[in-house]
Amino acid sequence: IGYDFLKDYDILFDYEKQVITLIQPDEFEHYANTHFSEKEIERIPFELKHHIPIIQAEVGGKDYSFGLDCGAEGNLMDDDLFVAMESHLLDITEDDLIGANNNPKKVKKGKVKSTQIGNLSFEKMSTAFNDISHLNEGYQLNLDGLVGYELLSKQTTVISYARQELLFIQ
């Protein structure tokens, strides 16, 4: 299921319950009041370029732009950033990354000690480093990386294309 179908809904990801819920955007506040009245909601604005929501994050006092890819198993950063990020990584290893062409490639991988998004801090998110220039060139983006499951699975999360915001429900 891709952007053309999902763009008309607020998409709620609840990995703990293994549920994805599609909500009409004009019904979200009622849904949130009914289901999340006891929880805090952190709203993170994003910029939509083509079909990719782009959020801002901070690692080690430096700002980065990440595309949100709800189909990505792990986080990915451009390999040009590895040296700058190395002091903010734990458990650095090499791993095979299998891309769209199905060919495995050796990449460096580590856990980012702390990533700040809005007022929330995400600890030890596994991140691989690989060339993402094809994404930036193909879509005229200026991304430092992509975030996916590693971020979305930490809590219940909503992507709202209509309001251009990412919601973390704590």
Side-chain angles (χ1 to χ4, degrees):
I1 299 175
Y3 171 77
D4 286 337
F5 177 78
L6 296 174
K7 68 180 171 45
D8 297 326
Y9 298 96
D10 287 358
I11 306 107
L12 182 142
F13 296 89
D14 188 335
Y15 283 91
E16 187 176 313
K17 294 180 183 172
Q18 297 183 343
V19 172
I20 295 175
T21 304
L22 302 179
I23 306 163
Q24 292 290 339
D26 57 350
E27 295 292 323
F28 179 75
E29 292 307 323
H30 174 71
Y31 186 92
N33 289 336
T34 303
H35 293 83
F36 308 124
S37 62
E38 303 293 316
K39 300 194 179 218
E40 290 185 37
I41 299 176
E42 176 79 13
R43 294 174 184 259
I44 307 298
F46 64 73
E47 180 182 1
L48 189 63
K49 287 196 176 180
H50 300 279
H51 65 284
I52 301 172
I54 300 172
I55 61 171
Q56 301 304 309
E58 181 183 306
V59 176
K62 187 169 181 338
D63 293 331
Y64 294 94
S65 293
F66 289 98
L68 189 60
D69 182 354
C70 59
E73 179 181 336
N75 294 345
L76 178 68
M77 287 188 79
D78 192 75
D79 55 4
D80 288 343
L81 297 171
F82 180 78
V83 172
M85 290 289 298
E86 194 168 8
S87 65
H88 304 288
L89 297 174
L90 301 168
D91 304 328
I92 298 170
T93 60
E94 274 196 3
D95 200 1
D96 287 326
L97 180 70
I98 300 174
N101 63 6
N102 255 354
N103 294 327
K105 178 184 177 186
K106 290 277 185 210
V107 297
K108 291 189 180 351
K109 185 177 180 179
K111 293 182 181 177
V112 178
K113 292 176 187 175
S114 182
T115 304
Q116 187 81 23
I117 301 174
N119 293 318
L120 301 177
S121 184
F122 298 89
E123 309 301 317
K124 299 179 183 172
M125 287 197 296
S126 183
T127 302
F129 291 82
N130 191 34
D131 179 20
I132 63 166
S133 61
H134 62 287
L135 290 172
N136 285 322
E137 292 165 6
Y139 293 107
Q140 285 105 29
L141 302 171
N142 192 21
L143 296 177
D144 296 306
L146 296 171
V147 290
Y149 173 81
E150 276 292 313
L151 175 69
L152 298 174
S153 65
K154 303 287 184 199
Q155 68 286 300
T156 302
T157 307
V158 175
I159 300 172
S160 175
Y161 290 105
R163 292 183 307 280
Q164 291 193 7
E165 63 182 1
L166 179 64
L167 294 88
F168 296 120
I169 301 166
Q170 302 286 317

